Each structure stands twice: as C-alpha cells, then as structure tokens.
Amino acid sequence: MRSSRRHPLIVPVLLCALAVLAARPADGTDAGSGADPGPEVARLYEDAAKATQRYEEGRRAAEAQRSKALAYEKRLDEQRQKIDAMHADLGRIARAQYRGGGGLPLTARMFLADDPDELMRGQRAFTRADLAVNKAIGKSLRAEARLAADEAKAQAAWQALEKRNADLAALKTGIEGKLEAARARLEGRADASVAAGSCPGAVRLDQQDLPVGRPWVAPVEAYELSASFGSGGSRWAHRHTGQDFAVPVGTPVGSVGTGRVVQVSCGGAFGIQVVVQHAGGYYTQYAHLASVAVDQGDRVRPGQWIGQSGSTGNSTGPHLHFEVRVTPEMGSALDPVPWLSQRGVPL
C-alpha cells in the first residue's frame, strides 16, 4: 500500500549535475576498492543535493535570460512597426510634395505662385516636418541597433547556460553508474554481515548541518511512504508495526529526536537495526539498514545520521522501517505518523 503523498528523491534526474564527482573519487578510491562504501554513498547523496541546487539555479538563470531575450524581441517588433509607420508618412509627404509642384525648382515655383509668402511658409513647414521625420527614423534605427545588440548578448548568455546544463546532463549515466556500484557494495557487505550473524561496526559518516530549533524531524529527508502502520500482508505475522519509507540503498537515516542509542543489532526479521530512547518513555526503531553510524550508548540529536537505509532482514526492497514504541522491544508499537505529526513533523 502506497501513500498518495510523495516527496522527490534526493537523487533525482538532476543527479547528473554531480560533475565534481566525475573528477574526484571519494577518499581517493574507486568503486572496486576495499574501502567501506558507506561514507562514499553518503557523500554521493550529500553532493547530489548540493549539485542539484546548483543545477536548478542555472536552469532558473537560463529561463530569466530567455525571458529577457523575448522581451527584447518584442520591443524590436514595436520599433519596427513605428519605423514602418514613419516610412509610410514620408511616402505621403513625398507624394503631396510632387502633386504640389515639387518637381520644379523652388525659385520657379515662387514666380508662378499667387502668394509667394504662403509658398515659403509651406516650404519651411515641410522642411521642418521632413527633418523631424528623418530625426525620428534615425533615432529609431539607433534604438533598433542597440536592442539587437542587447538581444544578441542575452541570447548568447542563455545559450551558454543551456550548454552548461546540457554538459552536466551528459554526465548522468556515468554518475548514476558510480552511485549504483557503491550501493551494490554497501548492500553486499550488509547482507554478508547479517548472514554471518555479526553486526558491522559503526561507520562514522560526515554529518550534515543539523536542523536548528527543531526538536523533532523526519527520519529521512526525501522519501515515498509505502507500507503503513497496521496494514496487512503475508510478510508479517500479524499486522505491520511501523511506517515504511521507500528510499534507495544508502540513504542517510537520522534520529527523529534527541535521545540515546539503546540497541544496535542485526539478524532476524529487522536485519540491521538501531533503537533510540527518547524522553517521555518513547523509543524509535530504524530497521532494514545497510550500515550503522552509531554505537550502543551514543547520544544523538535531531537529524543526526545514525545509519543508512538498506534491505536487510525480511524485506522485499530498499526501504526504512520506522517504529515508535513505549518499550525498546517489539510488540509495543504506536502509529508513528500521528505521533510525529503531534510533534510538528507531518509526513
């Protein structure tokens, strides 16, 4: 059963913006080395979020440049219409001049005119009008040249930004392959540890900036809700005892609040799991992990990474199984969704 509420995954299509990772292997190792893949995967996620932000900023800047270029083009069209109207006025003036005897020299027309003074006044008015029109045309042509130059600059800037984003997008396949390889290594090590019945030691992850002024947070930053509390299924002896968060292998998992780690274990239905004790007599469980980043007895704060999601234990695919309990053991679970909502964390 899947919730209709969806959140974008931390590593969306914009993961392609991780250009920096293509040139910098984590800790100087490659995907085939014996280094622990947990920190590598965590860094990939963290860098992905930062690179995605840069990609989005570039995309917005490109759209702004495009809008500016379109505005320039609109203004150019308006100027062209004004120039066409001026040319039409000049044509009418020229035709009127020709019909009024414009083909004769001004001196001859003065001798032939019934009122030479009126002819001179008309000639001066025509000259002023002609100069005004020519001045306006010249001004418009200069404005058109400036607008065209500005438009060319805006268009060039927009095309450069588009090219940059296209270059970043071209890295998509390689970056995703690198991440998938690290995930596979992480998951393989987790499965081997569970099969051997020995929990892996804590992998100390480089922590993100913890939220300020938030006593409670969601266990993962980006997710899709899947199996809910109390739902039925063949994989559970009775009913589902927690809330599942569908996330890829290696997603950093954080403590939902301040507390103390009271259990780190592996094996059984929950695979690798961490249980944290909080004030007020509540406990939270984080199960099916691929790695842990804490040891029993550690103090943790809201949002502090305590492990990475996986698919260990009784699991059909990568996800985080999250429970809220009134004891550290299973069988005392509460529905975690309203519990978190009461603490200002809607899912």
Side-chain angles (χ1 to χ4, degrees):
M1 175 179 176
R2 289 189 178 273
S3 166
S4 60
R5 171 117 181 177
R6 295 190 176 186
H7 296 245
L9 295 177
I10 280 182
V11 188
V13 173
L14 295 182
L15 179 65
C16 59
L18 287 170
V20 63
L21 293 175
R24 176 180 61 83
D27 290 345
T29 63
D30 57 33
S33 72
D36 195 307
E40 180 186 3
V41 174
R43 279 192 294 271
L44 282 166
Y45 277 111
E46 185 178 2
D47 288 344
K50 294 177 181 178
T52 294
Q53 182 179 0
R54 291 195 299 271
Y55 186 95
E56 283 297 296
E57 289 171 353
R59 183 187 60 78
R60 288 193 293 269
E63 287 299 318
Q65 289 290 354
R66 182 183 184 189
S67 297
K68 184 182 294 186
L70 292 175
Y72 282 138
E73 184 61 36
K74 182 178 179 181
R75 289 168 58 185
L76 279 171
D77 288 339
E78 293 173 353
Q79 289 291 348
R80 292 187 187 103
Q81 292 174 8
K82 291 180 180 178
I83 291 171
D84 290 342
M86 290 178 183
H87 286 169
D89 289 340
L90 274 178
R92 286 192 295 270
I93 293 172
R95 288 190 296 273
Q97 183 182 22
Y98 179 79
R99 288 193 298 269
L104 293 174
L106 178 60
T107 304
R109 282 187 282 132
M110 288 182 64
F111 279 115
L112 297 174
D114 295 332
D115 188 346
D117 290 337
E118 183 179 352
L119 177 64
M120 288 300 299
R121 286 193 295 272
Q123 182 65 29
R124 285 194 295 271
F126 170 77
T127 301
R128 285 194 299 271
D130 192 26
L131 290 173
V133 171
N134 286 336
K135 182 178 179 181
I137 290 176
K139 182 178 180 181
S140 294
L141 289 174
R142 289 190 297 273
E144 182 176 3
R146 287 195 301 270
L147 285 170
D150 290 342
E151 182 189 36
K153 291 178 182 178
Q155 189 72 7
W158 174 64
Q159 290 174 350
L161 286 167
E162 283 293 297
K163 183 180 183 302
R164 191 197 83 170
N165 286 346
D167 291 342
L168 292 174
L171 296 172
K172 176 179 181 293
T173 301
I175 296 298
E176 286 185 338
K178 183 177 181 179
L179 181 60
E180 285 303 316
R183 283 176 179 161
R185 290 170 51 222
L186 179 62
E187 192 170 19
R189 291 195 178 192
D191 290 340
S193 295
V194 172
S198 61
C199 289
V203 176
R204 300 300 178 177
L205 304 175
D206 293 333
Q207 292 291 327
Q208 63 174 344
D209 293 333
L210 298 181
V212 178
R214 295 172 58 192
W216 300 96
V217 297
V220 287
E221 290 187 352
Y223 52 85
E224 182 176 308
L225 297 179
S226 50
S228 59
F229 178 81
S231 58
S234 60
R235 302 191 64 82
W236 308 301
H238 299 289
R239 309 291 285 179
H240 193 233
T241 54
Q243 174 62 59
D244 286 352
F245 295 78
V247 289
V249 170
T251 300
V253 174
S255 174
V256 296
T258 299
R260 181 173 63 89
V261 178
V262 295
Q263 182 181 356
V264 176
S265 63
C266 64
F270 290 120
I272 301 174
Q273 63 169 323
V274 173
V275 178
V276 177
Q277 181 182 19
H278 306 280
Y282 293 105
Y283 298 81
T284 54
Q285 179 210 31
Y286 312 79
H288 304 310
L289 301 177
S291 74
V292 294
V294 291
D295 290 313
Q296 188 167 316
D298 285 353
R299 300 290 301 180
V300 293
R301 293 178 291 167
Q304 180 178 334
W305 290 343
I306 60 176
Q308 292 171 279
S309 64
S311 188
T312 56
N314 185 11
S315 171
T316 58
H319 71 285
L320 168 69
H321 175 86
F322 173 74
E323 287 191 16
V324 176
R325 303 170 176 172
V326 294
T327 73
E329 305 300 330
M330 63 179 300
S332 60
L334 307 172
D335 188 343
V337 174
W339 188 86
L340 283 173
S341 180
Q342 292 167 6
R343 288 157 179 76
V345 186
L347 298 179

